[in-house]
Amino acid sequence: MTALPAHPPALPGHPHLHYEAGELWLERVPVHRLTERFGTPLFAYSRASMLAALSAYQQAFEGREALICYAMKANSSLAILQTFVEAGCGLDIVSGGELERALRVGVDPAKIIFSGVGKTRAEMRQALLAGIGCFNVESVAELDTLHAVATELGQVAPISLRVNPDVDAKTHPYISTGLKGNKFGIAHTEALDVYRHAAQLSGLKIHGIDCHIGSQITEIPPFLDAMDRILDLVDLLESDGMHLAHIDFGGGLGIDYQGDVPPAANILWSALLNRLDARGHGNKRILIEPGRSLVGNAGICLTEVLFEKSGDTKNFLIVDAAMNDLPRPAMYEAYHAIVPTLLREDATRIYDVVGPVCESGDWLGRDRALAVRPGEQLAVCSAGAYCMSMASQYNTRGRAAEVLVYGENVQLIRERETPSDVMRGERLWSPVTTPGTPSAP
Ligand code: LLP
């Protein structure tokens, strides 16, 4: 370990991850200290990175009436939500469970917006009673149901319609949401009629218009196209006598996973706000719902190399993190950079990095050049968004622990799940069950 490689591996997109004397550090902490204390697999997030990502958005909106609603589906761990809420954000939720998390961290309910195509009546009730700021409604059936639920409660539900602008976000088909063929939103061509219908329902009050065209978008033009389509509609609706207090422009800005070069949030938003001004809507309140771009490059997942295995055609590194911890490669063939936590002078070999789960789809990275030995650790990069929040307990693997790092400060924000945690709530079949009656606990 004397001569270190001349070129340490690239660390895409991570502002607060770096090598110092051959060791990987997150902010002011060498990551081996995290794994010594908390074990692996371990998610570690840089709080400074999260705040820096947020501040790029905040800069863009300075002097405007705007609300950044963090899309908590990206990472809904309580301390992550707390960080954004304490920095002034609202929250974008998609379920009753997310609403409970939001309330747990003390967000002002008026700063909560509720997205999603399939809200249940119970969730609508729960959100109305909590006093959330806006429901983003995605169909006529949902509109009618929400009207009925609000009327039963003697309330008026604040709404906007999520309009599908039919633009191509040029991203992975599973995370593109603004095309005609997607299940999301109300067709652009039907929006006027649906707004007119909503205006007739006494249990609803129209607050705005909403759109979201997809995720991991790395170019500005699809956003501008969507903005134009939405503003065409706003013009049409206003000439029809409708008043829209806000425009919710969704989320979707991408991050650097593998040399991707998305625009910085302030650059994207200065282009969008210019367009808004040019078209005479600069005075409207703006809401946005960013997720990935606020947390994606703040997080890494640390994993230990268990075994090295050489086959005829492939070499494998079997690590202790798996598709249940990091589902994106298996689900979308997504690329996450994988780097050693300790640089060594050995020549690299080409490996597939795979987990212990019994599926061939359980891979984290393919054909990666690495110099690492069993017992050493790897960091899976860009793991702050859509990793822990999508993790499962498949193979009765408890979900990983999470830590938040800020300068030299390290705090455990989620304990590692034990097998008993995973089995909590399960019951054995009882031989004395009476037909038709639930078995005793
Ligand atoms: N608003 C709505 C209505 C959404 O559907 C989404 C994401 C967001 C906001 C936040 O988008 P973001 O800023 O994070 O791109 N699991 C996939 C991503 C699914 C995104 C779904 N919707 C992945 O791992 O790539």
Side-chain angles (χ1 to χ4, degrees):
M1 262 284 308
T2 42
L4 294 172
H7 299 292
L11 301 169
H14 281 275
H16 293 92
L17 189 66
H18 65 281
Y19 284 103
E20 217 168 290
E23 261 194 79
L24 190 65
W25 290 56
L26 187 62
E27 299 202 19
R28 296 306 312 142
V29 182
V31 299
H32 78 84
R33 268 206 231 137
L34 303 175
T35 53
E36 270 162 24
R37 209 165 134 201
F38 302 107
T40 52
L42 178 71
F43 284 94
Y45 309 108
S46 152
R47 192 163 180 271
S49 298
M50 291 161 54
L51 294 173
L54 175 62
S55 128
Y57 281 101
Q58 286 171 328
Q59 265 173 40
F61 293 118
E62 225 168 83
R64 305 246 175 189
E65 217 211 313
L67 181 63
I68 300 165
C69 294
Y70 166 57
M72 64 188 275
K73 61 170 81 70
N75 187 324
S76 56
S77 300
L78 293 176
I80 303 287
L81 304 183
Q82 178 195 14
T83 302
F84 289 124
V85 167
E86 285 177 359
C89 289
L91 295 173
D92 172 47
I93 63 165
V94 289
S95 71
E98 287 196 347
L99 176 56
E100 283 201 27
R101 282 184 177 275
L103 298 175
R104 184 79 69 89
V105 297
V107 68
D108 174 359
K111 288 180 161 183
I112 298 177
I113 52 178
F114 196 167
S115 299
V117 285
K119 306 172 189 77
T120 65
R121 284 172 156 265
E123 287 173 328
M124 291 175 182
R125 227 173 275 125
Q126 185 189 351
L128 281 166
L129 292 173
I132 69 159
C134 195
F135 289 84
N136 289 338
V137 175
E138 301 219 13
S139 64
V140 176
E142 183 189 338
L143 209 54
D144 291 339
T145 307
L146 183 59
H147 160 66
V149 172
T151 307
E152 270 163 35
L153 290 175
Q155 289 209 18
V156 176
I159 63 143
S160 65
L161 294 189
R162 174 169 175 184
V163 173
N164 186 334
D166 193 21
V167 299
D168 186 355
K170 301 199 170 60
T171 182
H172 190 288
Y174 281 17
I175 52 177
S176 174
T177 56
L179 275 169
K180 249 195 266 184
N182 296 127
K183 70 176 174 180
F184 298 101
I186 289 160
H188 193 261
T189 46
E190 289 162 21
L192 176 60
D193 285 345
V194 182
Y195 266 103
R196 283 179 176 157
H197 175 65
Q200 301 303 309
L201 301 174
S202 57
L204 308 178
K205 177 165 192 316
I206 296 169
H207 279 223
I209 188 164
D210 167 49
C211 85
H212 172 81
I213 56 172
S215 198
Q216 186 51 21
I217 304 167
T218 53
E219 296 169 28
I220 296 183
F223 286 111
L224 281 172
D225 288 351
M227 174 70 80
D228 275 331
R229 308 271 293 172
I230 292 299
L231 294 181
D232 290 347
L233 251 179
V234 172
D235 290 339
L236 184 68
L237 293 167
E238 293 193 334
S239 64
D240 201 58
M242 223 123 13
H243 171 68
L244 299 175
H246 77 237
I247 298 179
D248 176 344
F249 203 60
L253 177 59
I255 60 168
D256 179 7
Y257 284 102
Q258 187 182 12
D260 307 284
V261 276
N266 48 335
I267 304 289
L268 170 67
W269 271 97
S270 75
L272 287 168
L273 290 170
N274 280 343
R275 182 64 58 95
L276 205 67
D277 290 343
R279 295 201 44 179
H281 293 288
N283 57 345
K284 290 219 160 44
R285 182 167 198 244
I286 296 292
L287 266 56
I288 56 165
E289 308 162 1
R292 189 191 316 263
S293 51
L294 291 179
V295 282
N297 278 334
I300 54 176
C301 180
L302 296 161
T303 180
E304 181 175 320
V305 177
L306 300 175
F307 307 113
E308 186 176 354
K309 184 170 166 180
S310 298
D312 281 348
T313 54
K314 287 252 175 201
N315 301 313
F316 295 98
L317 284 176
I318 302 168
V319 300
D320 68 356
M323 64 189 289
N324 72 299
D325 305 296
L326 294 154
R328 303 191 70 256
M331 280 185 79
Y332 318 115
E333 304 208 333
Y335 181 96
H336 286 260
I338 301 178
V339 299
T341 63
L342 198 65
L343 296 179
R344 48 168 61 256
E345 58 184 305
D346 309 8
T348 57
R349 291 181 75 191
I350 304 296
Y351 294 100
D352 277 11
V353 180
V354 300
V357 162
C358 305
E359 302 249 1
S360 298
D362 180 26
W363 58 276
L364 304 182
R366 288 186 168 143
D367 298 325
R368 304 301 177 88
L370 289 162
V372 67
R373 295 187 187 161
E376 295 180 351
Q377 289 163 2
L378 294 171
V380 179
C381 296
S382 311
Y386 302 111
C387 291
M388 180 47 114
S389 60
M390 289 172 58
S392 78
Q393 298 157 322
Y394 188 37
N395 282 201
T396 307
R397 291 170 50 86
R399 284 175 302 167
E402 294 181 298
V403 293
L404 191 55
V405 173
Y406 196 37
E408 295 178 348
N409 202 322
V410 175
Q411 292 186 25
L412 182 68
I413 58 165
R414 183 197 293 259
E415 290 175 17
R416 183 176 305 288
E417 278 178 345
T418 64
S420 325
D421 293 331
V422 177
M423 288 183 274
R424 198 179 68 82
E426 293 186 40
R427 309 262 171 95
L428 292 177
W429 170 258
S430 160
V432 295
T433 307
T434 317
T437 58
S439 61

